[in-house]
Amino acid sequence: MAGGIGSRFWPMSRTSHPKQFLDILGTGKTLLQQTYDRFLKICPKENIYIVTNESYKALVHEQLKNISDSNVLYEPSRKNTAPCVAYASYKINKINPKANIVVAPSDHLILKEQTFVKAIKSCFKKVASEDCLMTLGIKPTRPDTGYGYIQFKESEVKEDDLRIKKVKTFTEKPDLEMAKFFLQSGDFLWNAGIFIWNVKAIIQAFEKYLPEMHELFKAGNKKYGSSGEAAFIKAVYAECKNISIDYGVLEKADNVYVRSSSIGWSDLGTWGSLYGHIVKDDSQNAIIGKNVMMYDSKNCIVNVPKEKLVVLQGLNDYIVVESDNILLVCRKEDEQQIKTFVNDLKIRKGDKFV
Amino acid sequence: MAGGIGSRFWPMSRTSHPKQFLDILGTGKTLLQQTYDRFLKICPKENIYIVTNESYKALVHEQLKNISDSNVLYEPSRKNTAPCVAYASYKINKINPKANIVVAPSDHLILKEQTFVKAIKSCFKKVASEDCLMTLGIKPTRPDTGYGYIQFKESEVKEDDLRIKKVKTFTEKPDLEMAKFFLQSGDFLWNAGIFIWNVKAIIQAFEKYLPEMHELFKAGNKKYGSSGEAAFIKAVYAECKNISIDYGVLEKADNVYVRSSSIGWSDLGTWGSLYGHIVKDDSQNAIIGKNVMMYDSKNCIVNVPKEKLVVLQGLNDYIVVESDNILLVCRKEDEQQIKTFVNDLKIRKGDKFV
């Protein structure tokens, strides 16, 4: 899934160049490239499909030189994750109705790749012989109110992989009190948004929980892979609901399992969540940039172009980002305000800077 | 005098483009242009001479389109103000040995131009008939430790202009205790570095207090205005002392007068001194830039290029300057550290950014 716009990472992420296409960690690879390379350890490249907005066609091919255009699925509009998953699922179903599928965001960080591959393979083993829906769960380390939480219970039947549990409830973005309770209870995991199932199980789930969407995508069985696919998808997207796969399917289904996995995960949803994953200097400043000089400053996150000279003095706990001739300086604790800045900008200056 | 490099205004002022060549107040005119226009109210353009470093030749002519190159005096090296004043004085002496001269920095702010013109004309009246050295004094408004202070006493003979006093002592950059005492006493003025004298008086003063410099420049009487002038000046500058006119002449002379003048003066020596002269928004932010958005910020001074979008949040009492792809963020109260940053930069990166 590579269609999001990640507006909380403004001004680095822009509508024309969102987060998955950025080397936001300064590693030399964009998040999309990192994700693609990670999945090459799981399946051959012919089996990797990218679903993205059609406006990002050039970016995808620029960053993934070896990908065939038939492996890129273009969405004509933004309709959240359920239509994205449906499009890929019904198309894959035509190619191979016995396929096992892993669905993953392209803009997350996964530090422990070996463990990740092991986790996915274990889930594949389960879904290969059982029509269920699986998700990866992350043991929470703080009462984060921005994540979805999954409450688990023991499976009815003993699992081969003891890390696999039956899902009891989903809770999206709890308040702080509730998040603290979840953290303490030990029965809750963060929902990493990485799903595993076989194609039959997910199509059955669409039929049951999102029947209108099922009818829309099912009707195109003859179109997938043909010259009429784009026009068909355009018509379907104009019709179909804007809804997430979590809310539309997983929260309603009763055959959902979670595998607790320690994969060094972050959704990199905010500058603050990025801060934890960048090397710090002695003053706990996380700096991406070749010519940054810090004086009397600590706990800052700085991300500026290589060629830019930046001298910062007297800043504690600030975000300093420069991208494409836009400069943002903002207190780390106030980073949720970035969405406000972007909205104000739209009102005052139009779409030029967003 | 337009040869300085104003390093405290880094990164706007650079060795290659110092403060006098900048529109640092956002008025549409550089400080040099403002100064030149101010003196056009005092004398015809033929009588205005610019002394600058030879590396600024193109900048001077770019900014002062109508100036004749024979009115620009090029210094081959930086030797402080005494050689600068000497060069101009001996050259003017050859053209008109009865000339009255006003010497002024090209990078100061003078808000009350009418009052300034009146002050200069009154000083001209005195020096036209008396071989003395005059300077403009500014009534101090704060115990600034960065300025020179002039202690005055009543003149021996009653002056026509009661604002003219005899100078008793000069004190360069006092400590804070002393500056507070100066402020309270009422007998001290800031030295604005604007001097008035007749050419005979200043040459007599060089002869008496800087005799070696006098001999050097006097020896070129035949060269001034000839094709050999530049080569002669190059040789003289290689020989002559690096010293200020204040220290070399005025502090030693006993015929110095000061005229107390309320001309809305600032030497614009620091970002802080600039802050007081720019229009503020409701949060006391002084902003130069077309696309600057401030949130939860006050008392800042922001100076960024017109086309640059800048969003600042949570900054109180900061300097934020961007120029030529260099960004500086610094607490206003720590602005004296800017010289340290520039020195560190020279050590780490060479002359590229200074």
Side-chain angles (χ1 to χ4, degrees), chain B residues 77 79 212-213 216 232-242:
Chain B
S77 57
K79 292 271 179 164
E212 289 171 13
M213 203 177 287
L216 282 168
F232 167 74
I233 286 297
K234 195 171 176 184
V236 167
Y237 267 69
E239 292 268 318
C240 83
K241 223 174 176 172
N242 183 326

Side-chain angles (χ1 to χ4, degrees), chain B residues 67-303:
Chain B
I67 201 170
S68 156
D69 197 46
S70 60
N71 283 52
V72 189
L73 281 57
Y74 299 106
E75 296 186 284
S77 57
R78 295 178 205 286
K79 292 271 179 164
N80 212 326
T81 50
C84 161
V85 171
Y87 180 12
S89 300
Y90 289 81
K91 189 175 160 89
I92 289 169
N93 182 54
K94 182 172 176 187
I95 299 165
N96 176 8
K98 290 186 189 295
N100 299 315
I101 301 177
V102 49
V103 177
S106 61
D107 60 351
H108 287 185
L109 177 72
I110 289 168
L111 287 171
K112 301 184 187 167
E113 299 225 320
Q114 297 282 31
T115 315
F116 173 73
V117 171
K118 201 177 137 197
I120 297 298
K121 287 191 170 166
S122 171
C123 294
F124 270 159
K125 195 175 163 199
K126 183 173 172 76
V127 302
S129 61
E130 187 179 338
D131 294 345
C132 63
L133 307 176
M134 294 197 70
T135 174
L136 290 194
I138 311 294
K139 203 168 154 50
T141 53
R142 57 180 189 276
D144 199 302
T145 56
Y147 289 153
Y149 286 74
I150 299 170
Q151 187 182 18
F152 61 82
K153 58 184 179 187
E154 289 306 318
S155 299
E156 298 82 355
V157 183
K158 192 172 185 316
E159 302 286 343
D160 290 341
D161 180 345
L162 294 175
R163 289 176 165 272
I164 296 176
K165 313 279 183 186
K166 189 87 197 286
V167 170
K168 194 172 168 193
T169 60
F170 282 93
T171 309
E172 190 63 16
K173 295 179 183 158
D175 63 26
L176 187 62
E177 278 313 292
M178 201 179 283
K180 282 180 180 167
F181 170 78
F182 288 173
L183 187 65
Q184 281 157 9
S185 96
D187 293 343
F188 289 80
L189 298 168
W190 286 335
N191 184 358
I194 300 170
F195 308 112
I196 306 95
W197 41 56
N198 67 57
V199 68
K200 187 175 144 220
I202 188 64
I203 287 181
Q204 280 171 350
F206 273 110
E207 187 171 10
K208 192 163 178 188
Y209 303 111
L210 292 170
E212 289 171 13
M213 203 177 287
H214 170 70
E215 292 303 325
L216 282 168
F217 282 96
K218 186 184 153 197
N221 202 42
K222 284 182 185 158
K223 306 284 185 180
Y224 298 122
S226 81
S227 60
E229 178 172 339
F232 167 74
I233 286 297
K234 195 171 176 184
V236 167
Y237 267 69
E239 292 268 318
C240 83
K241 223 174 176 172
N242 183 326
I243 190 168
S244 73
I245 188 76
D246 303 71
Y247 186 68
V249 172
L250 289 153
E251 294 185 18
K252 298 186 170 73
D254 53 11
N255 59 340
V256 186
Y257 293 81
V258 59
R259 185 185 186 279
S260 169
S261 306
S262 298
I263 55 176
W265 172 87
S266 167
D267 75 341
L268 298 177
T270 62
W271 285 109
S273 68
L274 178 60
Y275 177 76
H277 300 285
I278 303 179
V279 178
K280 320 285 192 304
D281 68 12
D282 292 344
S283 303
Q284 294 299 305
N285 295 304
I287 300 170
I288 296 177
K290 296 261 181 225
N291 294 305
V292 179
M293 292 165 68
M294 306 289 285
Y295 294 88
D296 188 19
S297 295
K298 60 186 186 198
N299 303 323
C300 288
I301 177 160
V302 181
N303 196 324

Side-chain angles (χ1 to χ4, degrees), chain A residues 76-354:
Chain A
S77 57
R78 295 177 206 288
K79 290 272 178 162
N80 212 327
T81 52
C84 161
V85 171
Y87 180 13
S89 301
Y90 288 82
K91 187 174 161 90
I92 289 168
N93 181 54
K94 183 172 175 186
I95 299 164
N96 176 9
K98 290 185 187 300
N100 300 314
I101 300 176
V102 49
V103 176
S106 61
D107 59 351
H108 288 185
L109 176 72
I110 289 169
L111 288 171
K112 301 183 188 168
E113 298 224 321
Q114 297 282 27
T115 315
F116 173 74
V117 171
K118 203 177 136 197
I120 297 297
K121 287 190 171 165
S122 170
C123 294
F124 271 159
K125 197 175 161 197
K126 183 172 172 76
V127 303
S129 61
E130 187 180 336
D131 294 344
C132 63
L133 308 175
M134 294 197 69
T135 175
L136 290 194
I138 310 294
K139 203 168 154 49
T141 52
R142 59 180 189 274
D144 200 300
T145 57
Y147 289 153
Y149 287 75
I150 300 170
Q151 186 182 19
F152 60 83
K153 57 184 181 186
E154 288 307 316
S155 299
E156 298 83 355
V157 181
K158 192 174 185 315
E159 301 286 345
D160 291 342
D161 180 345
L162 295 174
R163 289 175 164 272
I164 296 176
K165 313 278 184 186
K166 190 85 198 286
V167 170
K168 194 174 168 192
T169 60
F170 282 94
T171 308
E172 191 63 15
K173 296 179 183 160
D175 63 27
L176 187 62
E177 278 312 294
M178 199 177 283
K180 282 181 180 167
F181 171 77
F182 289 173
L183 186 65
Q184 280 158 9
S185 96
D187 294 343
F188 289 81
L189 298 169
W190 285 335
N191 184 359
I194 300 169
F195 308 113
I196 308 96
W197 41 57
N198 67 56
V199 70
K200 189 174 141 217
I202 188 63
I203 287 182
Q204 280 172 350
F206 272 110
E207 187 170 9
K208 194 163 174 186
Y209 303 111
L210 292 170
E212 290 172 12
M213 203 177 288
H214 171 70
E215 292 302 328
L216 282 169
F217 282 97
K218 187 185 152 195
N221 202 43
K222 284 180 185 158
K223 306 285 187 181
Y224 299 122
S226 81
S227 61
E229 179 172 336
F232 167 75
I233 286 297
K234 193 171 178 184
V236 167
Y237 267 70
E239 290 269 317
C240 84
K241 223 173 174 172
N242 183 325
I243 190 169
S244 74
I245 188 74
D246 304 72
Y247 186 69
V249 172
L250 288 152
E251 294 185 17
K252 299 187 169 73
D254 53 11
N255 60 340
V256 186
Y257 293 82
V258 61
R259 184 184 187 282
S260 169
S261 307
S262 297
I263 56 177
W265 172 87
S266 167
D267 74 341
L268 298 178
T270 60
W271 286 110
S273 68
L274 178 61
Y275 177 76
H277 300 284
I278 303 180
V279 178
K280 319 287 191 304
D281 67 13
D282 293 344
S283 304
Q284 295 300 305
N285 296 303
I287 300 170
I288 297 178
K290 296 260 181 226
N291 294 306
V292 179
M293 292 165 69
M294 307 289 284
Y295 294 87
D296 188 19
S297 295
K298 60 185 185 198
N299 303 322
C300 289
I301 177 160
V302 181
N303 196 324
V304 298
K306 277 198 291 289
E307 69 284 2
K308 176 117 198 162
L309 178 70
V310 176
V311 178
L312 303 178
Q313 187 272 347
L315 292 179
N316 295 335
D317 297 290
Y318 277 83
I319 299 162
V320 178
V321 185
E322 154 114 14
S323 180
D324 200 17
N325 214 23
I326 299 177
L327 170 69
L328 169 70
V329 180
C330 177
R331 278 196 213 103
K332 257 160 64 189
E333 64 184 33
D334 294 325
E335 68 171 339
Q336 72 284 359
Q337 287 192 37
I338 295 175
K339 285 203 164 191
T340 310
F341 308 156
V342 175
N343 284 334
D344 288 355
L345 257 176
K346 277 188 199 166
I347 293 164
R348 292 172 55 174
K349 313 264 180 190
D351 287 337
K352 190 176 165 194
F353 297 110
V354 301

